[in-house]
């Protein structure tokens, strides 16, 4: 068994969890915060048999879209700080980790 940990955009979370449920996959949704943008995102936990991992990743990919986001930065000029200059970053549709599950119990 594998555990899929998928970090997705908050705005895509409902569509992704609905798509998973519609196709028979359970998921748990956690409210998380990205360490770089410090913006809210969503982390999904999905436990599945190894042979279904790619199917789950495909279902997530159908609903999780990448976005371009402007973030403020502050440029330093020796003795003072310039006003913040926005920089654009691309936030991926989903960041996915797949890890082995040593033991799974439902009590
Ligand atoms: P954040 O950490 O808020 O990062 C949001 C986006 O900012 C990233 O999108 C990336 O485009 C950019 N970014 C992140 N760190 C950067 C840096 N040091 N320098 C320049 N740009 C940077 P994604 O890569 O698609 O990541 C989306 C979210 O997925 C991240 O939100 C974080 O919550 C999670 N994530 C990404 N890689 C991870 C990793 N290796 N481990 C754990 N979580 C990760």
């Amino acid at each position: 068994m594998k555990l899929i940990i998928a970090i997705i955009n908050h705005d895509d979370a409902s569509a992704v969890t609905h798509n998973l449920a519609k196709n028979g996959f359970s998921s748990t949704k956690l409210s998380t915060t990205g360490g770089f943008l410090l913006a809210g995102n969503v982390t999904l936990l999905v436990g599945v048999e190894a042979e279904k991992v790619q199917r789950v990743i495909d279902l997530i990919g159908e609903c999780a879209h990448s976005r371009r986001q402007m973030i403020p930065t502050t440029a330093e000029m020796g003795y003072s700080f310039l006003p913040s200059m926005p920089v654009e970053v691309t936030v991926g549709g989903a960041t996915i980790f797949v890890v082995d599950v040593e033991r799974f119990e439902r009590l």
Side-chain angles (χ1 to χ4, degrees):
M1 187 167 202
K2 303 282 184 183
L3 179 65
I4 300 169
I5 303 168
I7 302 158
I8 60 174
N9 193 287
H10 185 267
D11 294 339
D12 296 329
S14 295
V16 171
T17 52
H18 186 253
N19 205 22
L20 290 172
K22 203 173 69 182
N23 287 278
F25 294 103
S26 296
S27 65
T28 294
K29 198 169 95 172
L30 307 174
S31 293
T32 46
T33 304
F36 185 69
L37 295 182
L38 299 179
N41 52 28
V42 167
T43 298
L44 294 180
L45 305 180
V46 189
V48 286
E49 294 80 23
E51 60 273 17
K52 292 185 180 160
V53 166
Q54 191 54 50
R55 175 74 179 132
V56 169
I57 291 174
D58 291 343
L59 290 169
I60 293 170
E62 285 172 13
C63 306
H65 309 291
S66 66
R67 294 167 169 79
R68 299 173 82 78
Q69 206 164 320
M70 300 301 288
I71 55 163
T73 58
T74 306
E76 194 182 355
M77 274 283 287
Y79 53 90
S80 65
F81 286 89
L82 292 174
S84 75
M85 299 165 17
V87 167
E88 195 174 56
V89 294
T90 300
V91 183
T95 299
I96 297 176
F97 303 89
V98 180
V99 297
D100 290 327
V101 173
E102 193 174 314
R103 181 169 164 172
F104 171 69
E105 301 267 358
R106 207 181 250 139
L107 302 178

